[in-house]
Amino acid sequence: MADKNAEVAVEDNGGMKKTLSLWNFFTIGFGAIIGTDWVLQVGDWMVVGGGPVPAMIAFLLGAIFLVPVGAVFGELTAAIPISGGIVEYVDRSFGRTMSYITGWLLALGNGILCPWEAIAISTLVSEMFGSLPGLEWLRAVKLYTILGADVYLFPTLIALGFATYVIFLNFRGASSAAKLQAFLTKALLCGMLLAMGVSLFTGSPDNAMPVFSQVTGAGGGKPATEGTSLFAGIVSVLVLTPFFYAGFDTIPQQAEEAAEGLNWNKFGKIISLALLAAGGFYMVCIYSFGTILDWHEFVKSPVPALACLKGINMLLYLAMLVIATLGPMGPMNSFYGATSRIMLAMGRKGQLPEKFAEVDPKSGAPKLACVVLGVITVVGPFLGKNMLIPLTNVSALAFIFSCGMVALACLRMRFTEPDLPRPYEAPGGKFGISLAIVACGTIIGLLVIPFSPASLNMVEWSIVIGWLAVGLALMAFTNSRKNNA
């Protein structure tokens, strides 16, 4: 691995600072993927799948599906290591309009995760810390109710504090944000080890049986199992996995800030490694929590991963609660950096106003992009916890569409730019790239085809269509300004 303490250098073109090592890139991607979703939603995965076993199989298949996609990102990023490279790859292959749509949707898919994680923090503080003796004051001041969810003053202020810290670090540049990411990755790994230890000493594999069964009256976001067979249960969870694996693309988005002398062949492998490591992490977590006690009982609580530990040992519960509350800062941090680089790239290509192409001369951070994302992020805690599920599905579609376009661009560039230096090539060559295209197309189909177990509802389609409408209007405005200049 490259030296973790790589010296700071400044990119001649654009002022981006070159500080990130292979270890930094791994923690950025791995931390963005795992976050705290497993604490909040591991019970929902079991309910949707009909048990821990279908959920584990689905997450394994999800990782396998996306490994070719990660390899495609690795090939293109190693060949063209620039910030927000997705915009460049699609532009060179399919032109300006498709590049704009891809970049704009990826900005939606990634940008959503910033307020999403802020909502997660306020929800944990409100529901978990607020229920502890002596901390009832956290829910003493109710602001309002939105979409059936109560929003309280003090949890909102605490979530804003976490979000402000992440925003501050990203304004200071990639190096500061990477240090936070390394710390949070270690904290999340401690959480997984804690769950494994409790399962080993107090649980039993029998608690995960039967392999498939329908449940009703669960306490989380999904009250009942809709699938009627093991296959249906696996598919129902599988279509959710792109959201929970979203984050590996944060690695290539910041490639321009790689340290001098980075081994680009190893860099290409880092993306797939982060995916596989996250897949293993999710499977271990599902198994651990699914065997601590009978999973049918486990899913009856609103946040079962914490509720089951509370019944076993209060100290273990508090430790996991602290880890769970810190966890959302990891994805927020990674997606903040990645989305700002996407906007930077779109500004450089003239797809967004030229102000988006400006970077701070001292920190190398994209100035206007960071401001826009800061505003979006601090809005999150005010939206209430019931916005989590719609944002999840919208982000999954936007993310996997962008991945599919990158895979198509990679295949096309094998024909149009065969002499492009490629320090890392996707395993299997054109066949491997084709597998990535098929994987993305399959997941997109499951999300958009009516009657699919996870097709988007009207609220979610409204968000997607509204975002595209705003994007097209912004593109028209940018073009008119350029034509009148």
PDB file of all heavy atoms in Angstrom, residues 236-256:
ATOM      1  N   SER A 236     -36.440  -9.806  -3.285  1.00  0.00           N
ATOM      2  CA  SER A 236     -36.924  -8.590  -2.629  1.00  0.00           C
ATOM      3  C   SER A 236     -35.807  -7.855  -1.899  1.00  0.00           C
ATOM      4  O   SER A 236     -35.784  -6.616  -1.857  1.00  0.00           O
ATOM      5  CB  SER A 236     -38.052  -8.939  -1.642  1.00  0.00           C
ATOM      6  OG  SER A 236     -39.171  -9.467  -2.318  1.00  0.00           O
ATOM      7  N   VAL A 237     -34.870  -8.594  -1.318  1.00  0.00           N
ATOM      8  CA  VAL A 237     -33.738  -7.960  -0.645  1.00  0.00           C
ATOM      9  C   VAL A 237     -32.675  -7.562  -1.668  1.00  0.00           C
ATOM     10  O   VAL A 237     -32.038  -6.507  -1.544  1.00  0.00           O
ATOM     11  CB  VAL A 237     -33.129  -8.888   0.423  1.00  0.00           C
ATOM     12  CG1 VAL A 237     -31.920  -8.227   1.096  1.00  0.00           C
ATOM     13  CG2 VAL A 237     -34.168  -9.247   1.473  1.00  0.00           C
ATOM     14  N   LEU A 238     -32.503  -8.402  -2.703  1.00  0.00           N
ATOM     15  CA  LEU A 238     -31.469  -8.148  -3.706  1.00  0.00           C
ATOM     16  C   LEU A 238     -31.630  -6.780  -4.354  1.00  0.00           C
ATOM     17  O   LEU A 238     -30.645  -6.065  -4.574  1.00  0.00           O
ATOM     18  CB  LEU A 238     -31.497  -9.241  -4.774  1.00  0.00           C
ATOM     19  CG  LEU A 238     -30.506  -9.094  -5.936  1.00  0.00           C
ATOM     20  CD1 LEU A 238     -29.067  -9.116  -5.424  1.00  0.00           C
ATOM     21  CD2 LEU A 238     -30.732 -10.197  -6.981  1.00  0.00           C
ATOM     22  N   VAL A 239     -32.870  -6.393  -4.660  1.00  0.00           N
ATOM     23  CA  VAL A 239     -33.076  -5.111  -5.332  1.00  0.00           C
ATOM     24  C   VAL A 239     -32.804  -3.932  -4.401  1.00  0.00           C
ATOM     25  O   VAL A 239     -32.657  -2.791  -4.871  1.00  0.00           O
ATOM     26  CB  VAL A 239     -34.507  -5.009  -5.911  1.00  0.00           C
ATOM     27  CG1 VAL A 239     -34.709  -6.013  -7.012  1.00  0.00           C
ATOM     28  CG2 VAL A 239     -35.555  -5.163  -4.824  1.00  0.00           C
ATOM     29  N   LEU A 240     -32.733  -4.174  -3.097  1.00  0.00           N
ATOM     30  CA  LEU A 240     -32.397  -3.106  -2.161  1.00  0.00           C
ATOM     31  C   LEU A 240     -30.898  -2.929  -2.002  1.00  0.00           C
ATOM     32  O   LEU A 240     -30.433  -1.872  -1.564  1.00  0.00           O
ATOM     33  CB  LEU A 240     -33.006  -3.403  -0.780  1.00  0.00           C
ATOM     34  CG  LEU A 240     -34.527  -3.516  -0.680  1.00  0.00           C
ATOM     35  CD1 LEU A 240     -34.914  -3.903   0.743  1.00  0.00           C
ATOM     36  CD2 LEU A 240     -35.205  -2.216  -1.072  1.00  0.00           C
ATOM     37  N   THR A 241     -30.134  -3.970  -2.340  1.00  0.00           N
ATOM     38  CA  THR A 241     -28.698  -3.950  -2.039  1.00  0.00           C
ATOM     39  C   THR A 241     -27.910  -2.848  -2.756  1.00  0.00           C
ATOM     40  O   THR A 241     -26.918  -2.373  -2.202  1.00  0.00           O
ATOM     41  CB  THR A 241     -28.045  -5.311  -2.336  1.00  0.00           C
ATOM     42  OG1 THR A 241     -28.238  -5.666  -3.720  1.00  0.00           O
ATOM     43  CG2 THR A 241     -28.642  -6.395  -1.456  1.00  0.00           C
ATOM     44  N   PRO A 242     -28.304  -2.401  -3.984  1.00  0.00           N
ATOM     45  CA  PRO A 242     -27.516  -1.318  -4.584  1.00  0.00           C
ATOM     46  C   PRO A 242     -27.411  -0.093  -3.690  1.00  0.00           C
ATOM     47  O   PRO A 242     -26.368   0.564  -3.645  1.00  0.00           O
ATOM     48  CB  PRO A 242     -28.268  -1.010  -5.877  1.00  0.00           C
ATOM     49  CG  PRO A 242     -28.929  -2.284  -6.238  1.00  0.00           C
ATOM     50  CD  PRO A 242     -29.328  -2.901  -4.935  1.00  0.00           C
ATOM     51  N   PHE A 243     -28.496   0.231  -2.972  1.00  0.00           N
ATOM     52  CA  PHE A 243     -28.434   1.372  -2.067  1.00  0.00           C
ATOM     53  C   PHE A 243     -27.416   1.134  -0.957  1.00  0.00           C
ATOM     54  O   PHE A 243     -26.642   2.029  -0.600  1.00  0.00           O
ATOM     55  CB  PHE A 243     -29.807   1.644  -1.453  1.00  0.00           C
ATOM     56  CG  PHE A 243     -29.774   2.722  -0.399  1.00  0.00           C
ATOM     57  CD1 PHE A 243     -29.786   4.061  -0.755  1.00  0.00           C
ATOM     58  CD2 PHE A 243     -29.717   2.402   0.948  1.00  0.00           C
ATOM     59  CE1 PHE A 243     -29.742   5.055   0.214  1.00  0.00           C
ATOM     60  CE2 PHE A 243     -29.666   3.386   1.920  1.00  0.00           C
ATOM     61  CZ  PHE A 243     -29.692   4.717   1.551  1.00  0.00           C
ATOM     62  N   PHE A 244     -27.397  -0.072  -0.417  1.00  0.00           N
ATOM     63  CA  PHE A 244     -26.529  -0.351   0.715  1.00  0.00           C
ATOM     64  C   PHE A 244     -25.091  -0.635   0.285  1.00  0.00           C
ATOM     65  O   PHE A 244     -24.195  -0.686   1.123  1.00  0.00           O
ATOM     66  CB  PHE A 244     -27.099  -1.512   1.535  1.00  0.00           C
ATOM     67  CG  PHE A 244     -28.446  -1.193   2.119  1.00  0.00           C
ATOM     68  CD1 PHE A 244     -29.603  -1.731   1.568  1.00  0.00           C
ATOM     69  CD2 PHE A 244     -28.559  -0.327   3.180  1.00  0.00           C
ATOM     70  CE1 PHE A 244     -30.848  -1.412   2.079  1.00  0.00           C
ATOM     71  CE2 PHE A 244     -29.801   0.005   3.704  1.00  0.00           C
ATOM     72  CZ  PHE A 244     -30.951  -0.537   3.156  1.00  0.00           C
ATOM     73  N   TYR A 245     -24.875  -0.828  -1.027  1.00  0.00           N
ATOM     74  CA  TYR A 245     -23.514  -0.922  -1.556  1.00  0.00           C
ATOM     75  C   TYR A 245     -23.074   0.385  -2.214  1.00  0.00           C
ATOM     76  O   TYR A 245     -21.911   0.517  -2.608  1.00  0.00           O
ATOM     77  CB  TYR A 245     -23.407  -2.061  -2.570  1.00  0.00           C
ATOM     78  CG  TYR A 245     -23.310  -3.425  -1.939  1.00  0.00           C
ATOM     79  CD1 TYR A 245     -24.273  -4.400  -2.185  1.00  0.00           C
ATOM     80  CD2 TYR A 245     -22.251  -3.740  -1.101  1.00  0.00           C
ATOM     81  CE1 TYR A 245     -24.178  -5.656  -1.605  1.00  0.00           C
ATOM     82  CE2 TYR A 245     -22.153  -4.992  -0.519  1.00  0.00           C
ATOM     83  CZ  TYR A 245     -23.117  -5.942  -0.775  1.00  0.00           C
ATOM     84  OH  TYR A 245     -23.022  -7.178  -0.193  1.00  0.00           O
ATOM     85  N   ALA A 246     -24.012   1.326  -2.363  1.00  0.00           N
ATOM     86  CA  ALA A 246     -23.633   2.624  -2.925  1.00  0.00           C
ATOM     87  C   ALA A 246     -22.542   3.231  -2.054  1.00  0.00           C
ATOM     88  O   ALA A 246     -22.651   3.239  -0.828  1.00  0.00           O
ATOM     89  CB  ALA A 246     -24.849   3.546  -2.977  1.00  0.00           C
ATOM     90  N   GLY A 247     -21.516   3.708  -2.674  1.00  0.00           N
ATOM     91  CA  GLY A 247     -20.404   4.271  -1.915  1.00  0.00           C
ATOM     92  C   GLY A 247     -19.062   3.911  -2.509  1.00  0.00           C
ATOM     93  O   GLY A 247     -18.094   4.665  -2.368  1.00  0.00           O
ATOM     94  N   PHE A 248     -18.994   2.751  -3.205  1.00  0.00           N
ATOM     95  CA  PHE A 248     -17.711   2.393  -3.811  1.00  0.00           C
ATOM     96  C   PHE A 248     -17.321   3.394  -4.895  1.00  0.00           C
ATOM     97  O   PHE A 248     -16.144   3.582  -5.193  1.00  0.00           O
ATOM     98  CB  PHE A 248     -17.728   0.972  -4.367  1.00  0.00           C
ATOM     99  CG  PHE A 248     -18.619   0.762  -5.558  1.00  0.00           C
ATOM    100  CD1 PHE A 248     -18.167   1.041  -6.838  1.00  0.00           C
ATOM    101  CD2 PHE A 248     -19.896   0.250  -5.402  1.00  0.00           C
ATOM    102  CE1 PHE A 248     -18.980   0.842  -7.945  1.00  0.00           C
ATOM    103  CE2 PHE A 248     -20.718   0.041  -6.505  1.00  0.00           C
ATOM    104  CZ  PHE A 248     -20.257   0.337  -7.775  1.00  0.00           C
ATOM    105  N   ASP A 249     -18.335   4.066  -5.468  1.00  0.00           N
ATOM    106  CA  ASP A 249     -18.032   5.060  -6.496  1.00  0.00           C
ATOM    107  C   ASP A 249     -17.421   6.331  -5.916  1.00  0.00           C
ATOM    108  O   ASP A 249     -16.935   7.192  -6.672  1.00  0.00           O
ATOM    109  CB  ASP A 249     -19.304   5.414  -7.275  1.00  0.00           C
ATOM    110  CG  ASP A 249     -20.361   6.056  -6.385  1.00  0.00           C
ATOM    111  OD1 ASP A 249     -20.745   5.410  -5.401  1.00  0.00           O
ATOM    112  OD2 ASP A 249     -20.786   7.183  -6.668  1.00  0.00           O
ATOM    113  N   THR A 250     -17.433   6.481  -4.586  1.00  0.00           N
ATOM    114  CA  THR A 250     -16.768   7.644  -3.989  1.00  0.00           C
ATOM    115  C   THR A 250     -15.250   7.550  -4.157  1.00  0.00           C
ATOM    116  O   THR A 250     -14.554   8.568  -4.071  1.00  0.00           O
ATOM    117  CB  THR A 250     -17.099   7.773  -2.494  1.00  0.00           C
ATOM    118  OG1 THR A 250     -16.672   6.595  -1.807  1.00  0.00           O
ATOM    119  CG2 THR A 250     -18.598   7.958  -2.288  1.00  0.00           C
ATOM    120  N   ILE A 251     -14.741   6.339  -4.376  1.00  0.00           N
ATOM    121  CA  ILE A 251     -13.296   6.164  -4.568  1.00  0.00           C
ATOM    122  C   ILE A 251     -12.838   6.837  -5.871  1.00  0.00           C
ATOM    123  O   ILE A 251     -11.961   7.696  -5.849  1.00  0.00           O
ATOM    124  CB  ILE A 251     -12.912   4.673  -4.542  1.00  0.00           C
ATOM    125  CG1 ILE A 251     -13.255   4.062  -3.172  1.00  0.00           C
ATOM    126  CG2 ILE A 251     -11.434   4.480  -4.858  1.00  0.00           C
ATOM    127  CD1 ILE A 251     -13.055   2.559  -3.097  1.00  0.00           C
ATOM    128  N   PRO A 252     -13.416   6.472  -7.033  1.00  0.00           N
ATOM    129  CA  PRO A 252     -12.959   7.126  -8.272  1.00  0.00           C
ATOM    130  C   PRO A 252     -13.295   8.608  -8.356  1.00  0.00           C
ATOM    131  O   PRO A 252     -12.613   9.350  -9.065  1.00  0.00           O
ATOM    132  CB  PRO A 252     -13.671   6.337  -9.371  1.00  0.00           C
ATOM    133  CG  PRO A 252     -14.820   5.672  -8.717  1.00  0.00           C
ATOM    134  CD  PRO A 252     -14.381   5.384  -7.325  1.00  0.00           C
ATOM    135  N   GLN A 253     -14.342   9.059  -7.637  1.00  0.00           N
ATOM    136  CA  GLN A 253     -14.706  10.471  -7.744  1.00  0.00           C
ATOM    137  C   GLN A 253     -13.604  11.402  -7.247  1.00  0.00           C
ATOM    138  O   GLN A 253     -13.550  12.568  -7.625  1.00  0.00           O
ATOM    139  CB  GLN A 253     -15.999  10.756  -6.958  1.00  0.00           C
ATOM    140  CG  GLN A 253     -17.215  10.003  -7.431  1.00  0.00           C
ATOM    141  CD  GLN A 253     -17.498  10.145  -8.910  1.00  0.00           C
ATOM    142  OE1 GLN A 253     -16.996  11.048  -9.575  1.00  0.00           O
ATOM    143  NE2 GLN A 253     -18.271   9.230  -9.454  1.00  0.00           N
ATOM    144  N   GLN A 254     -12.721  10.884  -6.370  1.00  0.00           N
ATOM    145  CA  GLN A 254     -11.658  11.732  -5.818  1.00  0.00           C
ATOM    146  C   GLN A 254     -10.277  11.308  -6.311  1.00  0.00           C
ATOM    147  O   GLN A 254      -9.261  11.605  -5.690  1.00  0.00           O
ATOM    148  CB  GLN A 254     -11.721  11.699  -4.284  1.00  0.00           C
ATOM    149  CG  GLN A 254     -13.058  12.204  -3.743  1.00  0.00           C
ATOM    150  CD  GLN A 254     -13.120  12.252  -2.245  1.00  0.00           C
ATOM    151  OE1 GLN A 254     -12.315  12.902  -1.599  1.00  0.00           O
ATOM    152  NE2 GLN A 254     -14.073  11.550  -1.677  1.00  0.00           N
ATOM    153  N   ALA A 255     -10.235  10.607  -7.455  1.00  0.00           N
ATOM    154  CA  ALA A 255      -8.971  10.071  -7.961  1.00  0.00           C
ATOM    155  C   ALA A 255      -7.950  11.153  -8.272  1.00  0.00           C
ATOM    156  O   ALA A 255      -6.740  10.915  -8.184  1.00  0.00           O
ATOM    157  CB  ALA A 255      -9.236   9.229  -9.214  1.00  0.00           C
ATOM    158  N   GLU A 256      -8.407  12.340  -8.638  1.00  0.00           N
ATOM    159  CA  GLU A 256      -7.482  13.417  -8.981  1.00  0.00           C
ATOM    160  C   GLU A 256      -6.631  13.843  -7.782  1.00  0.00           C
ATOM    161  O   GLU A 256      -5.583  14.462  -7.935  1.00  0.00           O
ATOM    162  CB  GLU A 256      -8.276  14.610  -9.515  1.00  0.00           C
ATOM    163  CG  GLU A 256      -7.418  15.699 -10.150  1.00  0.00           C
ATOM    164  CD  GLU A 256      -8.269  16.764 -10.814  1.00  0.00           C
ATOM    165  OE1 GLU A 256      -9.275  16.400 -11.470  1.00  0.00           O
ATOM    166  OE2 GLU A 256      -7.926  17.953 -10.690  1.00  0.00           O
TER     167      GLU A 256
END
